[in-house]
Amino acid sequence: MQTILISDTTLQQAQSAAGTALSFKESLEIAKLIDRLQPHAIELPPMKSGVADALLVKSIASAVRHAKLVLSVALTEADVEAAAQALRDAKRPCICIHAPLSTVQMEYQCHKKPAAMLELIDRLVKKAVSLGVEVAFSAGDATRAEPDFLAQALQTAVDAGASAVTVCDTAGVMLPDEFGAFVRTLLERTPALNGVTFGVQCSDALHLAAGCAVAAMREGARLIRTTLPETGLTQLSALAAILRARGMDLGLSMQLATTELTRIEKQVDWILHARRDAASPYEGGSPRQTDEALRLDASSTRREVAEAVERLGYDLSEEDGAKVFEAFGRIAARKAVGEKELDAIVASAALQVPPAYTLESYVINSGNVITATAHIKLKRDGRTLQGIAPGDGPIDAAFLAIEQLIGHHYELDDFQIQAITEGREAMGSALVRLRSGGRLYAGKGISTDVIGASIHAYVSALNKIIYEETRV
């Protein structure tokens, strides 16, 4: 029985599936969900926006416990170095060098002739190997490449140190028997592929991706690139259905937590297709995943608390870490501390700064027959600034009004409201987590009015961002 390895490309394909870019939190949540399936690898898209993307990769690397983490890079040595740095905390890091090998794509995408492309492949693979990470090579548009050149390029990648090679049927016009013959011929032409993990990526342009993948497996492919949503590549659920029905007959199996596949597929689909309204950047998002393992008590060490804070996404200084641990000790002496409590501790104790903005007033109009609107006044440097905005509910309108007056949008990573006292005059506590430049900032507000508490929490987080951005 041959075991097939699954390399999940959902995060690479997510933007086309969702119709818009994913937020930091959505990408992290999807990575965690996929990791529960325990695939061989999770593939990430290339880093494009510097610090923010690098921090996302580092956060995913800390969260992924089972799968190999594969980061695609652009065809430059600088990108290879940046990828290796971002992956340094991953348990199983891997850099993927993807190069188009058909004549058309080499000319128009890379402006390279065959000889120059071979030299580039050799140099980049060797560079990645020298940085101490595993290296995979991906051959783009392989089915339209010249057969001799394709074999030569794959041989070059293996000789330079690549431990995995994938060929991509980018055009997607092959039938399963044709793709199987293509794989068989390629393995015969390139003996070096027998010593590495050989995989395929099949296009679903003809709705035959799963069939082509099975044909490739029967001819010797060991790894299949898949996605959870329908993105034009082999869908994992379709491949799993084939192997459930005919895997024994074909002598094929895959080591995957398939009992969770349907549920996780639905959760990822919810994240990718949650309603997104251009009027409100706060719609959509991802369902908050409670980390049931996060339970700290008075016996927890400072290192354990610091690791839990990092798992929540915060990047604290040594000074703020000490303040959080001190505040944690006071709470833990009375009760166990979970995720929500630790969030509140970080918001209350870390990065307490002089306020750049103070709330002067707010007026909210809301009802079941009108669109909610908010009029917010903030004071900065003695000047009163005001913003007016409609929104999908009073809190959404309030946050949009603040964005209007400050002239900037920050990603809302999380928002929570809870009662902290009882009765008609109960106090409400709000927690707002904003993300700027890849870092997370938490603010907390308390009021008998939950809208007021929410505004105070947003302004508190905003002040922390302003302080970090303006200090020398």
Side-chain angles (χ1 to χ4, degrees), residues 285-344:
S286 58
R288 186 168 180 81
Q289 300 292 323
T290 301
D291 189 346
E292 298 178 355
L294 182 50
R295 289 292 181 271
L296 304 172
D297 55 33
S299 65
S300 300
T301 65
R302 178 171 175 175
R303 180 174 180 177
E304 290 172 336
V305 174
E307 288 176 349
V309 169
E310 186 177 350
R311 282 163 57 191
L312 291 180
Y314 296 104
D315 180 19
L316 301 183
S317 65
E318 186 69 23
E319 180 183 358
D320 280 330
K323 291 178 180 177
V324 167
F325 184 68
E326 182 181 350
F328 163 80
R330 293 193 294 269
I331 302 297
R334 303 193 306 271
K335 63 174 186 176
V337 173
E339 181 176 306
K340 290 184 178 180
E341 291 84 0
L342 192 57
D343 253 336

Side-chain angles (χ1 to χ4, degrees), residues 3 28 97 118 175 230 251 255 298 315 319 353 373 386 390-391 462:
T3 300
L28 185 58
I97 295 169
L118 292 177
L175 299 176
E230 293 184 16
Q255 292 179 342
D315 180 19
E319 180 183 358
V353 301
T373 59
Q386 60 180 331
L462 173 64

Side-chain angles (χ1 to χ4, degrees), residues 366-415:
S366 182
N368 66 338
V369 294
I370 63 171
T371 299
T373 59
H375 180 196
I376 307 290
K377 289 185 178 181
L378 299 182
K379 185 168 285 188
R380 183 175 188 184
D381 299 330
R383 297 183 299 117
T384 297
L385 306 172
Q386 60 180 331
I388 302 175
D392 185 14
I395 293 174
D396 183 63
F399 289 177
L400 289 170
I402 295 173
E403 286 191 353
Q404 184 189 92
L405 68 88
I406 66 176
H408 192 88
H409 169 67
Y410 294 105
E411 181 185 329
L412 182 66
D413 184 86
D414 193 24
F415 171 59

Side-chain angles (χ1 to χ4, degrees), residues 422-438:
E422 298 179 353
R424 294 178 62 185
E425 300 299 321
M427 298 287 287
S429 171
L431 175 74
V432 167
R433 303 204 307 178
L434 300 179
R435 195 173 291 279
S436 174

Side-chain angles (χ1 to χ4, degrees), residues 64-331:
V64 169
R65 302 174 185 177
H66 304 290
K68 179 187 299 183
L69 204 60
V70 181
L71 179 58
S72 296
V73 297
L75 295 175
T76 68
E77 291 192 33
D79 283 287
V80 171
E81 292 176 353
Q85 178 68 14
L87 287 170
R88 70 181 188 275
D89 295 329
K91 293 180 175 62
R92 299 169 59 199
C94 180
I95 289 175
C96 180
I97 295 169
H98 177 89
L101 296 185
S102 66
T103 302
V104 172
Q105 290 200 0
M106 276 194 296
E107 290 279 354
Y108 288 95
Q109 290 186 14
C110 301
H111 310 293
K112 298 285 185 184
K113 297 293 184 182
M117 180 59 77
L118 292 177
E119 188 277 329
L120 181 62
I121 293 169
D122 180 71
R123 178 159 48 87
L124 293 181
V125 172
K126 287 180 177 177
K127 176 66 176 179
V129 171
S130 72
L131 296 173
V133 296
E134 185 179 348
V135 183
F137 177 72
S138 175
D141 206 17
T143 53
R144 291 192 294 185
E146 292 294 328
D148 290 339
F149 174 70
L150 174 60
Q152 191 176 2
L154 299 183
Q155 183 72 50
T156 299
V158 174
D159 290 344
S163 61
V165 170
T166 302
V167 293
C168 306
D169 178 22
T170 307
V173 295
M174 282 190 168
L175 299 176
D177 59 336
E178 294 172 333
F179 191 64
F182 165 78
V183 169
R184 181 174 62 254
T185 302
L186 183 61
L187 290 172
E188 291 171 352
R189 281 176 174 267
T190 321
L193 296 179
N194 295 316
V196 299
T197 301
F198 176 67
V200 296
Q201 174 180 302
C202 303
S203 168
D204 202 30
L206 300 179
H207 304 289
L208 293 170
C212 288
V214 171
M217 289 186 285
R218 299 186 73 179
E219 297 296 342
R222 292 188 54 225
L223 179 143
I224 308 294
R225 279 182 172 161
T226 66
T227 66
L228 289 178
E230 293 184 16
T231 61
L233 300 182
T234 307
Q235 196 169 4
L236 180 56
S237 58
L239 185 62
I242 292 174
L243 294 183
R244 273 197 304 269
R246 297 295 306 276
M248 290 295 292
D249 299 334
L250 298 171
L252 301 171
S253 67
M254 59 182 181
Q255 292 179 342
L256 203 70
T258 52
T259 54
E260 291 195 73
L261 177 56
T262 301
R263 182 174 61 84
I264 289 176
E265 189 176 43
K266 289 179 179 178
Q267 288 180 282
V268 171
D269 184 72
W270 188 94
I271 295 173
L272 294 177
H273 298 101
R275 183 166 61 97
R276 289 173 168 84
D277 189 331
S280 175
Y282 301 121
E283 295 191 70
S286 58
R288 186 168 180 81
Q289 300 292 323
T290 301
D291 189 346
E292 298 178 355
L294 182 50
R295 289 292 181 271
L296 304 172
D297 55 33
S299 65
S300 300
T301 65
R302 178 171 175 175
R303 180 174 180 177
E304 290 172 336
V305 174
E307 288 176 349
V309 169
E310 186 177 350
R311 282 163 57 191
L312 291 180
Y314 296 104
D315 180 19
L316 301 183
S317 65
E318 186 69 23
E319 180 183 358
D320 280 330
K323 291 178 180 177
V324 167
F325 184 68
E326 182 181 350
F328 163 80
R330 293 193 294 269
I331 302 297

